[in-house]
Amino acid sequence: MDAEHASTERTQDLPGWLVGVLAMACGLTVANLYYAQPLLNIIAPSLGLPVSMSSLIVTLTQLGYCAGLIFLVPLGDLLENRRLVVSCLTALIFALALAATACGSIVFMVAVTLVGFSTVAVQMMVPIAAHMAPVAKRGQIVGTIMSGLLLGIMLARPVASLFTDAFGWRALFASSAVAMGITTVVMAYVLPKRQPDADHSYHELIKSLGVLLINTPVLRWRAAYQAALFAAFTLFWTAVPLQLAGPTFAMSQRGIALFALAGVTGAIAAPIAGMLADRGWSRFGTGASLVMVAIAFALAALGTHGSLIALVSACILLDMGVQANLVFGQRAIYALKAEHRSRLNGLYMAIFFVGGAFGSAIASLLFTHGGWNLVCAIGLAFPLLALGLFFVERSRRQTTNISMHPQ
């Protein structure tokens, strides 16, 4: 079981409809981080970008998201939350419009970086729900909202492929801008106002991030596990369209979309993980999640020889393991001090998205120079690293308990 620090805060029951609306809004918003992922072989040539550099599109989107997590999300501990969410969503609309109309690779790269930067609105919505939720149901409510967010992640790839196949990638970004306009209006109407009780400046807020990271071991361990898993996740999903479109499978954009739909199954792990966390099973669940991702890459290696069943099984296990571990981590962090929650969440997300940016950055290079076998070998190394860290933390925790409670 995780040792968690309970915080004293006022909570209330969230209406079911509001939880559902927040889940949908989170899904629609976060999907913008992933639309370009299966379209690299289409977007890059149209903008004059070499295929070997195509994964830079995904990397810049994720680095923009990391920057937003560090510099925007902590504002949730300082400014009125609803206005902050609406402002970020408005900026996202303009970034998507710029991506849709970009006439060169540089403008498009700037646009997707801004898309990532403003998409952090989703990480302002989840803490609002955590603030409002009763402590006993927090994991379940966060898990439900995260399932909507994760469905957005999973559906983004097939939706992007199918929509682009029918209307082109520019229409995809333009349509998303319209969808986010509607989402912004809804959030402005349904989100409750929340003004944090803060007596510090923005400079002090950002300066405190380093102190929180140093003084919060739960955050460091959880972020390290998820950074390794998310590196594996983005590596797989950035490289697998290249493998599926290659001579082994020769899939069309529509076929790649249908393959990506299998990953949607992974979203069922989020609410289950939330309920397990509420019952004190986070540590067991974390270990199981790391093992699932390792098994996924062992299965994925069979895709080198044309086994589509192995690849589908791998993507389901990968998505379930990564998403479950994300919820276990967030549940542990949301149990810490409420006045630090936005900053802790921002740090957690930023650290593991750095891992994700690294995974996507090396994906096309690994595939170009070593094929799918090399992708799977490096992908397997990430969850094995996380498992090593997990056992080190467990050993240290047991040593600490023995020293505090000698026989």
Side-chain angles (χ1 to χ4, degrees):
M1 294 185 184
D2 286 335
E4 296 173 342
H5 305 280
S7 59
T8 57
E9 54 182 310
R10 297 180 65 183
T11 59
Q12 63 189 68
D13 284 326
L14 265 71
W17 66 266
L18 181 55
V19 174
V21 169
L22 282 171
M24 185 177 298
C26 286
L28 287 171
T29 304
V30 79
N32 293 290
L33 292 174
Y34 300 93
Y35 284 142
Q37 204 168 58
L39 308 177
L40 300 182
N41 59 334
I42 296 175
I43 295 176
S46 69
L47 295 174
L49 192 68
V51 175
S52 61
M53 295 180 62
S54 61
S55 61
L56 188 61
I57 294 171
V58 179
T59 301
L60 287 175
T61 306
Q62 291 170 342
L63 289 177
Y65 193 68
C66 290
L69 289 167
I70 294 295
F71 296 107
L72 289 182
V73 171
L75 286 170
D77 290 335
L78 182 65
L79 303 179
E80 198 281 304
N81 285 191
R82 182 173 67 183
R83 183 178 300 174
L84 187 60
V85 169
V86 170
S87 298
C88 286
L89 291 176
T90 302
L92 177 57
I93 295 168
F94 286 105
L96 289 166
L98 180 62
T101 56
C103 55
S105 60
I106 294 177
V107 175
F108 185 79
M109 294 296 189
V110 171
V112 295
T113 304
L114 292 175
V115 166
F117 189 68
S118 50
T119 298
V120 295
V122 74
Q123 295 306 332
M124 300 169 183
M125 293 185 233
V126 179
I128 289 175
H131 277 292
M132 296 174 63
V135 175
K137 295 182 178 179
R138 183 172 292 144
Q140 183 179 351
I141 289 173
V142 169
T144 300
I145 293 174
M146 288 301 296
S147 67
L149 183 149
L150 300 173
L151 275 173
I153 294 174
M154 304 304 172
L155 288 171
R157 292 182 291 265
V159 166
S161 294
L162 292 172
F163 197 96
T164 298
D165 190 50
F167 304 106
W169 66 266
R170 292 184 185 275
L172 172 68
F173 284 96
S175 298
S176 185
V178 173
M180 294 318 303
I182 297 170
T183 302
T184 303
V185 173
V186 173
M187 289 298 99
Y189 181 74
V190 305
L191 278 181
K193 284 188 175 182
R194 179 182 175 271
Q195 178 63 55
D197 184 15
D199 57 357
H200 40 252
S201 66
Y202 177 71
H203 174 74
E204 292 170 330
L205 195 73
I206 299 301
K207 189 177 178 181
S208 70
L209 294 176
V211 177
L212 285 173
L213 183 61
I214 292 170
N215 294 334
T216 316
V218 171
L219 169 65
R220 294 198 304 273
W221 288 113
R222 289 289 174 180
Y225 304 153
Q226 193 64 14
L229 292 198
F230 208 59
F233 178 87
T234 59
L235 172 63
F236 179 90
W237 283 109
T238 305
V240 78
L242 302 176
Q243 172 70 2
L244 293 173
T248 303
F249 295 99
M251 282 192 182
S252 65
Q253 203 65 38
R254 184 168 298 181
I256 294 172
L258 293 175
F259 174 87
L261 276 174
V264 175
T265 311
I268 66 172
I272 295 172
M275 288 187 287
L276 289 174
D278 284 339
R279 296 175 183 177
W281 288 90
S282 289
R283 189 146 302 279
F284 172 81
T286 298
S289 299
L290 303 182
V291 170
M292 287 172 68
V293 176
I295 293 173
F297 274 94
L299 283 172
L302 299 177
T304 305
H305 308 293
S307 176
L308 186 59
I309 294 176
L311 271 185
V312 170
S313 301
C315 85
I316 293 172
L317 274 177
L318 172 68
D319 288 0
M320 290 183 70
V322 173
Q323 310 312 342
N325 192 65
L326 172 59
V327 174
F328 288 128
Q330 282 190 305
R331 177 64 176 83
I333 288 167
Y334 288 158
L336 303 176
K337 291 183 178 180
E339 59 269 26
H340 298 158
R341 190 168 288 150
S342 289
R343 279 169 285 175
L344 291 169
N345 187 56
L347 280 169
Y348 175 60
M349 292 287 175
I351 291 169
F352 84 66
F353 260 87
V354 169
F358 178 73
S360 62
I362 63 175
S364 56
L365 288 173
L366 291 177
F367 188 82
T368 300
H369 296 290
W372 186 245
N373 275 333
L374 183 58
V375 169
C376 292
I378 300 300
L380 178 61
F382 289 124
L384 292 180
L385 172 63
L387 275 168
L389 293 173
F390 177 73
F391 286 118
V392 169
E393 186 209 2
R394 185 177 180 183
S395 175
R396 289 187 179 182
R397 189 182 289 261
Q398 290 173 343
T399 302
T400 301
N401 288 339
I402 292 173
S403 64
M404 292 177 64
H405 305 285
Q407 296 297 319

